């Protein structure tokens, strides 16, 4: 399964992606607001051996064919819902790539997987991820106080949950 956005390709991972994946997965600044990481090399190898085609994607910049991040959509077929997640290498933040890949995952979820609802949690302090979800039409549904263990900073922080329903999805592409 390959998904295409304006400037990005979302494709299956290969073993050759190890260096790119570890460049962000092993970086504390990149993983500050993730539920995992920073990874050891073994953690990154374990991730690459466990990725699920059609659910986990390498984020590839069309212009350079560089792997700049990873993303995923994790359906719960019993409830016609899915959870989204993503991470980009810090060098590619603030260029609109996360908004673009988030929009493509949402499109894939509603148009191809025929989901009813898509949601994503994030650290409430992660303003960038909150804005990505808002730009993609997701609304903040909840704020869970000190519900997320920030592994890098070793503290409990607030977690926000965003969602969008199929009937709210406009079908517009960025």
């Amino acid at each position: 399964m390959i998904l295409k956005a304006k400037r990005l390709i979302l494709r299956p991972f290969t073993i050759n992606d190890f260096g790119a994946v570890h460049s962000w997965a092993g970086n504390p600044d990149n993983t500050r607001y993730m539920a995992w990481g920073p990874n050891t090399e073994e953690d990154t190898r374990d991730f690459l051996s466990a990725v699920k085609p059609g659910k986990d994607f390498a984020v590839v910049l069309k212009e350079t064919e560089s792997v700049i991040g990873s993303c995923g959509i994790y359906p719960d077929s019993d409830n016609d819902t899915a959870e989204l997640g993503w991470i980009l290498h810090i060098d590619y933040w603030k260029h609109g790539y996360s908004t673009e890949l988030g929009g493509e995952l949402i499109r894939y979820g509603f148009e191809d997987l025929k989901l009813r609802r898509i949601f994503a949690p994030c650290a409430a302090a992660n303003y960038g991820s909150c804005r990505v979800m808002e730009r993609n039409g997701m609304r903040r549904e909840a704020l869970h106080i000190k519900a997320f263990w920030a592994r890098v900073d070793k503290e409990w922080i607030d977690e926000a949950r965003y969602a969008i329903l199929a009937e709210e999805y406009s079908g517009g592409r960025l």
Side-chain angles (χ1 to χ4, degrees):
M1 169 67 57
I2 295 175
L3 305 176
K4 294 182 181 178
K6 183 178 177 183
R7 300 173 294 165
L8 304 171
I9 295 170
L10 310 182
R11 62 146 172 88
F13 283 98
T14 71
I15 197 66
N16 296 331
D17 295 330
F18 174 82
V21 173
H22 196 65
S23 73
W24 68 77
N27 181 339
D29 290 331
N30 248 124
T31 60
R32 170 157 275 110
Y33 296 124
M34 303 306 289
W36 52 268
N39 281 7
T40 64
E41 287 187 2
E42 183 179 351
D43 293 333
T44 300
R45 277 195 273 298
D46 289 346
F47 165 75
L48 285 171
S49 68
V51 293
K52 297 167 190 70
K55 295 179 182 179
D56 295 303
F57 298 91
V59 179
V60 179
L61 193 57
K62 282 182 181 178
E63 182 180 340
T64 63
E65 298 184 7
S66 301
V67 176
I68 64 168
S70 65
C71 64
I73 183 166
Y74 308 101
D76 173 357
S77 58
D78 292 338
N79 294 302
D80 297 325
T81 63
E83 180 175 347
L84 301 182
W86 59 82
I87 184 170
L88 290 183
H89 189 285
I90 197 168
D91 292 348
Y92 296 93
W93 291 1
K94 298 182 182 179
H95 296 281
Y97 298 129
S98 292
T99 300
E100 192 173 320
L101 73 86
E104 179 56 17
L105 289 174
I106 291 169
R107 184 212 61 76
Y108 173 60
F110 288 134
E111 294 180 17
D112 298 345
L113 300 179
K114 306 298 184 201
L115 297 170
R116 169 184 71 77
R117 182 174 188 278
I118 294 173
F119 69 95
C122 75
N126 188 347
Y127 177 76
S129 277
C130 293
R131 289 294 298 139
V132 164
M133 291 184 269
E134 291 165 359
R135 280 189 216 106
N136 278 302
M138 299 176 83
R139 69 184 139 23
R140 182 181 273 194
E141 288 189 325
L143 180 66
H144 302 277
I145 307 302
K146 294 195 177 186
F148 180 81
W149 178 247
R151 294 172 53 131
V152 170
D153 297 323
K154 296 180 178 23
E155 65 179 332
W156 288 100
I157 61 175
D158 299 347
E159 179 182 78
R161 182 169 292 245
Y162 286 78
I164 185 171
L165 297 171
E167 59 260 30
E168 297 170 320
Y169 170 66
S170 69
R173 298 202 58 162
L174 299 173

